[in-house]
Amino acid sequence: MKPYVYITRKLPEALVKPLQEKFNVNMWEHDDIPVPRDVLLEEAKKANALFTVLADSIDDQVLTAGNHLKVVANLAVGFNNIDLETASKKGIAVCNTPDVLTDTTADLAFALLMAAARRMIEAAEFVKEGKWLAWNPFLMAGTDIHHKTLGIVGMGRIGETVAKRATGFDMNTLYYNRTRKPEAEKQLGVQYSSFDELVEKSDFIVCLTPLTHETKNLFTREVFQKMKPSAIFINVSRGAVVDEQALQEALEAGEIAGAGLDVFQKEPISSDHPLVKLPNVVALPHIGSSSVETRTAMIQLCIENIIAVLEEKEPKTLVNKDWRPLVKGLK
């Protein structure tokens, strides 16, 4: 029998065709409703491969639901939604989609910074609501971006690409990272900084760090209070790196000037979310890598990884490096 692949979101048929030509493929029928837990568990019992998204919890229960699963291909760079330890013990390869979304996510991060700084969303709504009755010198006045200090927390590929964009705005860029990046310092003119120094000196703080035990709730009320009152905080990493209550309080108290958020602790959020109600917050629905070109490339990479593992070959972007297949013949 052909291997069985289950896809947890509805994808364009044309993109799924390479899988359908080789395997039995089933796909959740909705693109705007998450696959229910009971359906996911039932599919995991019989699947040889799971094509997942970041919102799917691929925990011990899912990974041990059946005895056939060989690969989980996650449509994201992040993989904090997957129990890697269990996957490795079960001989299940976990794959992600790095590199192909770097430029697109960096574009979004910088666009979010600009939108928050220049009050673009607020100004657009001002016009649409018929409130533009006259011109005055400080109508919807925001803050300049050029020649300001940018602080990047998490200097991976996306962080370096954001820093590259900042050079076009003549910004002074600081960065904080687990490891220092001498080559990036040389090529981009960025400066390594302690976390506290970055927080205190930056006019814009862009968070791009992965979610780990160390970075969970990294941004607390105390951290926001150390920022400049004119600072704008941008988060394009994971919602859980921020204490959202602390951010709300800091914004309401005027301890920082604004925020641009593409991610939240629990997604999706509603229009009643406290942060969404604040006029100095630009909120987006987790669209960091959401361009047609990039999402297509991400899907194709997931498919390539699934095909490789099911054909007993090495996947392109393996996350759990300690993975060893429980079947022989991997090339």
Side-chain angles (χ1 to χ4, degrees), residues 160 175 179-190 192:
E160 290 185 21
Y175 78 94
T179 55
R180 194 161 179 172
K181 298 290 189 75
E183 194 62 31
E185 292 174 22
K186 181 180 178 181
Q187 291 184 354
L188 300 170
V190 297
Y192 181 75

Side-chain angles (χ1 to χ4, degrees), residues 164-183:
K164 183 179 179 182
R165 280 143 179 72
T167 61
F169 286 77
D170 296 312
M171 300 183 85
N172 171 45
T173 301
L174 307 176
Y175 78 94
Y176 170 73
N177 200 56
R178 285 186 302 176
T179 55
R180 194 161 179 172
K181 298 290 189 75
E183 194 62 31

Side-chain angles (χ1 to χ4, degrees), residues 125-264:
E125 292 302 315
F126 185 83
V127 174
K128 289 182 178 181
E129 293 169 3
K131 295 179 180 179
W132 187 19
L133 304 179
W135 184 91
N136 70 69
F138 289 97
L139 177 66
M140 288 292 160
T143 183
D144 281 333
I145 300 161
H146 60 83
H147 296 94
K148 295 290 182 71
T149 297
L150 170 66
I152 299 175
V153 178
M155 196 65 162
R157 296 182 185 92
I158 298 171
E160 290 185 21
T161 309
V162 169
K164 183 179 179 182
R165 280 143 179 72
T167 61
F169 286 77
D170 296 312
M171 300 183 85
N172 171 45
T173 301
L174 307 176
Y175 78 94
Y176 170 73
N177 200 56
R178 285 186 302 176
T179 55
R180 194 161 179 172
K181 298 290 189 75
E183 194 62 31
E185 292 174 22
K186 181 180 178 181
Q187 291 184 354
L188 300 170
V190 297
Q191 304 168 51
Y192 181 75
S193 167
S194 69
F195 180 69
D196 287 340
E197 182 184 17
L198 181 149
V199 164
E200 292 169 3
K201 290 185 175 181
S202 298
D203 298 297
F204 301 95
I205 297 170
V206 177
C207 181
L208 292 164
T209 185
L211 177 61
T212 65
H213 292 298
E214 291 76 22
T215 62
K216 187 174 182 179
N217 284 330
L218 176 64
F219 288 90
T220 61
R221 183 71 186 279
E222 183 180 2
V223 170
F224 288 121
Q225 288 173 334
K226 290 179 181 178
M227 295 180 187
K228 296 179 180 180
S230 58
I232 292 176
F233 175 71
I234 307 296
N235 189 11
V236 191
S237 58
R238 292 290 178 264
V241 303
V242 180
D243 180 337
E244 288 186 350
Q245 179 67 30
L247 175 57
Q248 177 191 342
E249 292 171 355
L251 288 163
E252 291 175 338
E255 292 165 354
I256 64 172
L261 308 171
D262 186 44
V263 289
F264 296 85

Side-chain angles (χ1 to χ4, degrees), residues 12 20 22 32-33 47 88 110 120 122-123 132 137 143 146 154 162 164 234 244 252 274 286 300 312 320:
Q20 294 172 331
K22 292 175 175 285
D32 56 350
I33 301 174
S88 293
F110 213 87
M120 291 183 181
E122 191 180 357
W132 187 19
T143 183
H146 60 83
V162 169
K164 183 179 179 182
I234 307 296
E244 288 186 350
E252 291 175 338
H286 203 150
Q300 289 171 338
E312 299 184 357
N320 51 337

Side-chain angles (χ1 to χ4, degrees), residues 36-46 59 61-62 65-66:
R37 179 71 175 180
D38 59 335
V39 174
L40 178 59
L41 287 171
E42 194 61 34
E43 292 293 340
K45 286 181 182 179
K46 54 188 178 180
D59 55 14
Q61 190 179 15
V62 173

